[in-house]
Structure formats: structure tokens, C-alpha cells
Amino acid sequence: MRRTTLLALLLATLAGFAHGGDAAPSPLVIAHRGASGYLPEHTLAGYELAIRMGADFIEPDLQLTQDGVLVAMHDDSLLRTTNVASRFAPRHGGYKVADFSLPEIKTLIVQPTGTGQSSHPGFAPSAAEPFQVPTLQQVIDLVQQQNQASGRRIGIYPEAKQADPAMEDGILATLARNHYGPQSKVFIQSFSDTTLRSLRRKQTAQNNVLPLVLLGVAITGADGVARLGVVSGNTVTPLTLQEVASFSEGIGVSIHRPAYAVDKSFIAQAHAAGLQVHGWTFAKADPAAAATEFQQYLEMGMDGVFANYPDLAVTARKRYLQPK
Ligand code: G3P
Ligand code: CA
């Protein structure tokens, strides 16, 4: 065996130890924007609470700052979730993340939105600045600290929010620098098939192929054949599941589009194509209503749930896995 191949094998094995080559419980609980139903979204506090609640994966959506740093944030603007308007004048008529440097963004505080609060009963975040906008590296550092503290293996599920080659390169470089490999608990997600195809080409060239998930909507044709609808603005472009499986390991489908309903046949066809199916977003705060919704999709065979209230998802999974 060539020395480079041996080295690649050794690094992949080490990555497996570092990030959890052990099997995660299935179905997966993915903390959507952290424990975003309880604490401000995309904060170290919210991610840590989700981990403490038993989430298997935490989900940072990613944006690029003006100085080229990946930060965890859903919107391309700082306005909705931070106090930017009280600290800075608008730039180019707004508050795009891309118009602010990391040092500037680090002066901001992420504020509660939706049902999120600024604290959670009985929970004290361990981060020094738990409500600043975190970088992707800080999110990974948190995961590694929590892995060490808990003996668990927490996964990371970053989403490229922009179809931007610089973002692709940043995600791959950051994960590689932190020794994420094919055995690690990681998925990279995007709504853009162009982004995922590009990521797969780059991963292959770099000999570090990490699982990819294409986000979209479930389409079942009049012929009963399932496809994934790739959403761009008001346009939905159907791709065959076989086509998606040629560059991805999974699909992430909306559970809130009645015209694009996810059902048992859709999930079975995705599985037959070799794709995992993760659903978004499970956002019911009422425990009984949430339990019913989780149960409905888990019984269809869904492999993972993006949940705003990860504790409710963990409870539902436990019930689902109990011997009947
Ligand atoms: O990534 C899955 C789900 O989070 C997509 O919705 O808009 O919350 O990123 P969004
Ligand atoms: Ca997301």
C-alpha cells in the first residue's frame, strides 16, 4: 500500500475517534439553529442547551463576514437577530453580514426571537460570551468541549446559506482543519444542488468525502414516482432521487408544504435510492402536539428531524424506539 494511502487511512481513523465514528441513535435529533425554541438562535448558549437536552447534531446555518470568516447565522442580514441597528448605521441601505467585519460583528448581541428567551431555567451556559454571533470554529470548539465533558459524540450539520464557492472552500477547510473525515458525525447541507455538486467535486479532489444533504421539497408525481424539488425563489425544479444520490447521501425535506407532502412511499423510495431523509422544521412547542407530529413522521421511516425543541424530539424518539 502506498504511504499516502496509509496516511489517508490513518487520518480517517483518527477523525472517526475524534468526532464519533460510533453509530448515532436513529432517527437523528438535529437541533434546528440550536435549541432555538428556548434560547436565541445560532448562539453558543443555544447549541449547548440542545446538546444537554440530548440532541445528536447541532445545526449552524452559515454566512460569510466582510473579512471572510464563516459565522453562524440564518439570515444574510444582521438586523432580525442582533442589536446591530442600535450600534451601527446601515451600510448599502441595510445590515448585510457581508458588509461587516468579524470584529464589528463580535460587538453585537444575538437577541431572542420567536419563542426564544434570554435564559433557560436551570441552565448556565459555559461559554464566556454565550450570546455573541459565533464563528464556525467556535461552534466546533464547543462540540469538542461537550464531547469531552459528556463522553458523547455530538455531530455538526452546517448549512451553506450562500451558493458561493468561497463559502464552500471555507466549510471544507474548516472541517478538514478540525480533522473531520468520512467517519465523522457531520453532514453538510444546502438548498443549492449546484453548491452540493461543487462540494462533492472538491471533496473528491481533496480525498475527504463528507456526507452531503440536499434540501428541498418532496414531489410525488401522478405516476407515484418520488422526486426532490429544488427550490429557488418561486421555482421548484424536480430532480430524480437517483440523480440526487449521485452527489448526496441525504435529502432534507419540508414538512410544512401541503402541496409537497412527505409520506411513507416518498421515504421508502428515497431509501431505495440510498438517501437518508431528514425533515424540517419540527417547531411545535406544545409537548402533546409535538409528540403526535414526531410520531407521525418517525412511523413513516424518517431518519432525522430538525427540531426547535430538541428535548421534545428526544422524548418522542425514546417513545418511538420502545418495544411495542
Ligand atoms: O436546514 C434545514 C432547515 O433549517 C431549513 O430551513 O430556513 O431554517 O435554514 P432554515
Ligand atoms: Ca438551516
mmCIF file of all heavy atoms in Angstrom, residues 30-54:
data_model
loop_
_atom_site.group_PDB
_atom_site.id
_atom_site.type_symbol
_atom_site.label_atom_id
_atom_site.label_comp_id
_atom_site.label_asym_id
_atom_site.label_seq_id
_atom_site.Cartn_x
_atom_site.Cartn_y
_atom_site.Cartn_z
ATOM 1 N N ILE A 30 -31.761 16.574 15.347
ATOM 2 C CA ILE A 30 -30.902 17.668 14.875
ATOM 3 C C ILE A 30 -31.468 18.962 15.463
ATOM 4 O O ILE A 30 -32.628 19.321 15.203
ATOM 5 C CB ILE A 30 -30.930 17.744 13.332
ATOM 6 C CG1 ILE A 30 -30.563 16.392 12.706
ATOM 7 C CG2 ILE A 30 -30.011 18.858 12.828
ATOM 8 C CD1 ILE A 30 -31.292 16.110 11.402
ATOM 9 N N ALA A 31 -30.666 19.624 16.267
ATOM 10 C CA ALA A 31 -31.144 20.851 16.921
ATOM 11 C C ALA A 31 -31.143 21.988 15.909
ATOM 12 O O ALA A 31 -30.085 22.484 15.509
ATOM 13 C CB ALA A 31 -30.263 21.195 18.113
ATOM 14 N N HIS A 32 -32.341 22.393 15.500
ATOM 15 C CA HIS A 32 -32.505 23.388 14.444
ATOM 16 C C HIS A 32 -32.130 24.783 14.949
ATOM 17 O O HIS A 32 -32.796 25.333 15.830
ATOM 18 C CB HIS A 32 -33.962 23.365 13.977
ATOM 19 C CG HIS A 32 -34.261 24.337 12.883
ATOM 20 N ND1 HIS A 32 -35.101 25.413 13.045
ATOM 21 C CD2 HIS A 32 -33.816 24.400 11.606
ATOM 22 C CE1 HIS A 32 -35.180 26.080 11.915
ATOM 23 N NE2 HIS A 32 -34.407 25.496 11.021
ATOM 24 N N ARG A 33 -31.044 25.314 14.438
ATOM 25 C CA ARG A 33 -30.493 26.613 14.868
ATOM 26 C C ARG A 33 -30.159 26.592 16.364
ATOM 27 O O ARG A 33 -30.232 27.622 17.036
ATOM 28 C CB ARG A 33 -31.463 27.763 14.563
ATOM 29 C CG ARG A 33 -31.998 27.782 13.146
ATOM 30 C CD ARG A 33 -32.832 29.013 12.864
ATOM 31 N NE ARG A 33 -33.568 28.903 11.608
ATOM 32 C CZ ARG A 33 -34.381 29.826 11.120
ATOM 33 N NH1 ARG A 33 -34.560 30.962 11.780
ATOM 34 N NH2 ARG A 33 -35.020 29.637 9.974
ATOM 35 N N GLY A 34 -29.819 25.419 16.896
ATOM 36 C CA GLY A 34 -29.610 25.244 18.334
ATOM 37 C C GLY A 34 -30.936 24.878 18.976
ATOM 38 O O GLY A 34 -31.857 24.404 18.305
ATOM 39 N N ALA A 35 -31.038 25.077 20.280
ATOM 40 C CA ALA A 35 -32.337 24.869 20.941
ATOM 41 C C ALA A 35 -33.120 26.162 20.743
ATOM 42 O O ALA A 35 -33.414 26.902 21.691
ATOM 43 C CB ALA A 35 -32.144 24.554 22.417
ATOM 44 N N SER A 36 -33.476 26.441 19.484
ATOM 45 C CA SER A 36 -33.937 27.793 19.125
ATOM 46 C C SER A 36 -35.337 28.113 19.629
ATOM 47 O O SER A 36 -35.742 29.269 19.618
ATOM 48 C CB SER A 36 -33.875 27.973 17.604
ATOM 49 O OG SER A 36 -34.665 26.986 16.960
ATOM 50 N N GLY A 37 -36.068 27.079 20.056
ATOM 51 C CA GLY A 37 -37.366 27.354 20.667
ATOM 52 C C GLY A 37 -37.229 27.917 22.063
ATOM 53 O O GLY A 37 -38.178 28.496 22.609
ATOM 54 N N TYR A 38 -36.036 27.754 22.663
ATOM 55 C CA TYR A 38 -35.836 28.159 24.063
ATOM 56 C C TYR A 38 -34.896 29.356 24.223
ATOM 57 O O TYR A 38 -35.067 30.166 25.123
ATOM 58 C CB TYR A 38 -35.254 26.994 24.869
ATOM 59 C CG TYR A 38 -36.156 25.781 24.961
ATOM 60 C CD1 TYR A 38 -35.809 24.583 24.345
ATOM 61 C CD2 TYR A 38 -37.360 25.843 25.664
ATOM 62 C CE1 TYR A 38 -36.629 23.461 24.438
ATOM 63 C CE2 TYR A 38 -38.192 24.732 25.759
ATOM 64 C CZ TYR A 38 -37.820 23.543 25.149
ATOM 65 O OH TYR A 38 -38.645 22.451 25.230
ATOM 66 N N LEU A 39 -33.842 29.398 23.389
ATOM 67 C CA LEU A 39 -32.810 30.428 23.549
ATOM 68 C C LEU A 39 -32.537 31.077 22.188
ATOM 69 O O LEU A 39 -32.899 30.511 21.145
ATOM 70 C CB LEU A 39 -31.521 29.783 24.086
ATOM 71 C CG LEU A 39 -31.537 29.405 25.571
ATOM 72 C CD1 LEU A 39 -30.273 28.623 25.944
ATOM 73 C CD2 LEU A 39 -31.673 30.648 26.461
ATOM 74 N N PRO A 40 -31.884 32.226 22.161
ATOM 75 C CA PRO A 40 -31.610 32.887 20.884
ATOM 76 C C PRO A 40 -30.922 31.942 19.886
ATOM 77 O O PRO A 40 -30.001 31.207 20.248
ATOM 78 C CB PRO A 40 -30.687 34.041 21.288
ATOM 79 C CG PRO A 40 -31.100 34.364 22.686
ATOM 80 C CD PRO A 40 -31.437 33.043 23.310
ATOM 81 N N GLU A 41 -31.419 31.981 18.641
ATOM 82 C CA GLU A 41 -30.931 31.035 17.629
ATOM 83 C C GLU A 41 -29.469 31.291 17.276
ATOM 84 O O GLU A 41 -28.984 32.415 17.319
ATOM 85 C CB GLU A 41 -31.799 31.131 16.375
ATOM 86 C CG GLU A 41 -31.700 32.466 15.640
ATOM 87 C CD GLU A 41 -32.615 32.512 14.420
ATOM 88 O OE1 GLU A 41 -33.844 32.329 14.578
ATOM 89 O OE2 GLU A 41 -32.094 32.730 13.310
ATOM 90 N N HIS A 42 -28.796 30.206 16.910
ATOM 91 C CA HIS A 42 -27.398 30.280 16.464
ATOM 92 C C HIS A 42 -26.506 31.011 17.467
ATOM 93 O O HIS A 42 -25.787 31.960 17.121
ATOM 94 C CB HIS A 42 -27.292 30.915 15.073
ATOM 95 C CG HIS A 42 -27.899 30.060 13.994
ATOM 96 N ND1 HIS A 42 -27.601 28.724 13.863
ATOM 97 C CD2 HIS A 42 -28.800 30.337 13.027
ATOM 98 C CE1 HIS A 42 -28.286 28.217 12.842
ATOM 99 N NE2 HIS A 42 -29.027 29.163 12.332
ATOM 100 N N THR A 43 -26.590 30.568 18.724
ATOM 101 C CA THR A 43 -25.681 31.074 19.755
ATOM 102 C C THR A 43 -25.028 29.871 20.436
ATOM 103 O O THR A 43 -25.589 28.760 20.435
ATOM 104 C CB THR A 43 -26.430 31.892 20.823
ATOM 105 O OG1 THR A 43 -27.456 31.075 21.418
ATOM 106 C CG2 THR A 43 -27.053 33.143 20.231
ATOM 107 N N LEU A 44 -23.881 30.102 21.043
ATOM 108 C CA LEU A 44 -23.221 29.007 21.771
ATOM 109 C C LEU A 44 -24.117 28.521 22.900
ATOM 110 O O LEU A 44 -24.159 27.320 23.197
ATOM 111 C CB LEU A 44 -21.860 29.465 22.299
ATOM 112 C CG LEU A 44 -20.806 29.760 21.213
ATOM 113 C CD1 LEU A 44 -19.507 30.252 21.851
ATOM 114 C CD2 LEU A 44 -20.535 28.544 20.330
ATOM 115 N N ALA A 45 -24.854 29.444 23.516
ATOM 116 C CA ALA A 45 -25.771 29.029 24.585
ATOM 117 C C ALA A 45 -26.844 28.089 24.042
ATOM 118 O O ALA A 45 -27.135 27.047 24.643
ATOM 119 C CB ALA A 45 -26.423 30.264 25.221
ATOM 120 N N GLY A 46 -27.416 28.461 22.915
ATOM 121 C CA GLY A 46 -28.482 27.643 22.327
ATOM 122 C C GLY A 46 -27.982 26.283 21.872
ATOM 123 O O GLY A 46 -28.667 25.263 22.034
ATOM 124 N N TYR A 47 -26.797 26.247 21.297
ATOM 125 C CA TYR A 47 -26.231 24.951 20.886
ATOM 126 C C TYR A 47 -25.946 24.073 22.110
ATOM 127 O O TYR A 47 -26.200 22.870 22.111
ATOM 128 C CB TYR A 47 -24.936 25.144 20.091
ATOM 129 C CG TYR A 47 -25.080 25.870 18.773
ATOM 130 C CD1 TYR A 47 -24.207 26.901 18.443
ATOM 131 C CD2 TYR A 47 -26.062 25.531 17.853
ATOM 132 C CE1 TYR A 47 -24.306 27.572 17.227
ATOM 133 C CE2 TYR A 47 -26.174 26.199 16.631
ATOM 134 C CZ TYR A 47 -25.290 27.221 16.329
ATOM 135 O OH TYR A 47 -25.390 27.889 15.136
ATOM 136 N N GLU A 48 -25.384 24.706 23.146
ATOM 137 C CA GLU A 48 -25.031 23.914 24.338
ATOM 138 C C GLU A 48 -26.285 23.361 25.018
ATOM 139 O O GLU A 48 -26.313 22.199 25.441
ATOM 140 C CB GLU A 48 -24.226 24.763 25.325
ATOM 141 C CG GLU A 48 -23.765 23.947 26.530
ATOM 142 C CD GLU A 48 -22.890 24.740 27.490
ATOM 143 O OE1 GLU A 48 -22.574 25.915 27.202
ATOM 144 O OE2 GLU A 48 -22.509 24.173 28.533
ATOM 145 N N LEU A 49 -27.323 24.184 25.101
ATOM 146 C CA LEU A 49 -28.559 23.680 25.708
ATOM 147 C C LEU A 49 -29.092 22.488 24.905
ATOM 148 O O LEU A 49 -29.533 21.481 25.482
ATOM 149 C CB LEU A 49 -29.618 24.792 25.774
ATOM 150 C CG LEU A 49 -30.971 24.372 26.350
ATOM 151 C CD1 LEU A 49 -30.836 23.882 27.792
ATOM 152 C CD2 LEU A 49 -31.982 25.534 26.277
ATOM 153 N N ALA A 50 -29.028 22.592 23.580
ATOM 154 C CA ALA A 50 -29.500 21.492 22.726
ATOM 155 C C ALA A 50 -28.716 20.207 23.008
ATOM 156 O O ALA A 50 -29.276 19.111 23.093
ATOM 157 C CB ALA A 50 -29.357 21.884 21.258
ATOM 158 N N ILE A 51 -27.409 20.360 23.165
ATOM 159 C CA ILE A 51 -26.565 19.188 23.451
ATOM 160 C C ILE A 51 -26.944 18.596 24.807
ATOM 161 O O ILE A 51 -27.089 17.380 24.962
ATOM 162 C CB ILE A 51 -25.075 19.585 23.399
ATOM 163 C CG1 ILE A 51 -24.679 19.929 21.960
ATOM 164 C CG2 ILE A 51 -24.195 18.467 23.969
ATOM 165 C CD1 ILE A 51 -23.330 20.622 21.828
ATOM 166 N N ARG A 52 -27.125 19.471 25.787
ATOM 167 C CA ARG A 52 -27.518 18.986 27.130
ATOM 168 C C ARG A 52 -28.871 18.283 27.085
ATOM 169 O O ARG A 52 -29.153 17.397 27.884
ATOM 170 C CB ARG A 52 -27.599 20.148 28.109
ATOM 171 C CG ARG A 52 -26.305 20.914 28.260
ATOM 172 C CD ARG A 52 -25.521 20.467 29.484
ATOM 173 N NE ARG A 52 -24.423 21.378 29.699
ATOM 174 C CZ ARG A 52 -24.426 22.353 30.599
ATOM 175 N NH1 ARG A 52 -25.473 22.519 31.378
ATOM 176 N NH2 ARG A 52 -23.392 23.153 30.727
ATOM 177 N N MET A 53 -29.723 18.705 26.146
ATOM 178 C CA MET A 53 -31.054 18.083 26.029
ATOM 179 C C MET A 53 -31.005 16.760 25.270
ATOM 180 O O MET A 53 -32.036 16.099 25.123
ATOM 181 C CB MET A 53 -32.023 19.051 25.328
ATOM 182 C CG MET A 53 -32.418 20.215 26.201
ATOM 183 S SD MET A 53 -33.487 21.381 25.310
ATOM 184 C CE MET A 53 -34.233 22.230 26.715
ATOM 185 N N GLY A 54 -29.817 16.428 24.743
ATOM 186 C CA GLY A 54 -29.672 15.116 24.097
ATOM 187 C C GLY A 54 -29.697 15.132 22.586
ATOM 188 O O GLY A 54 -29.798 14.064 21.963
#
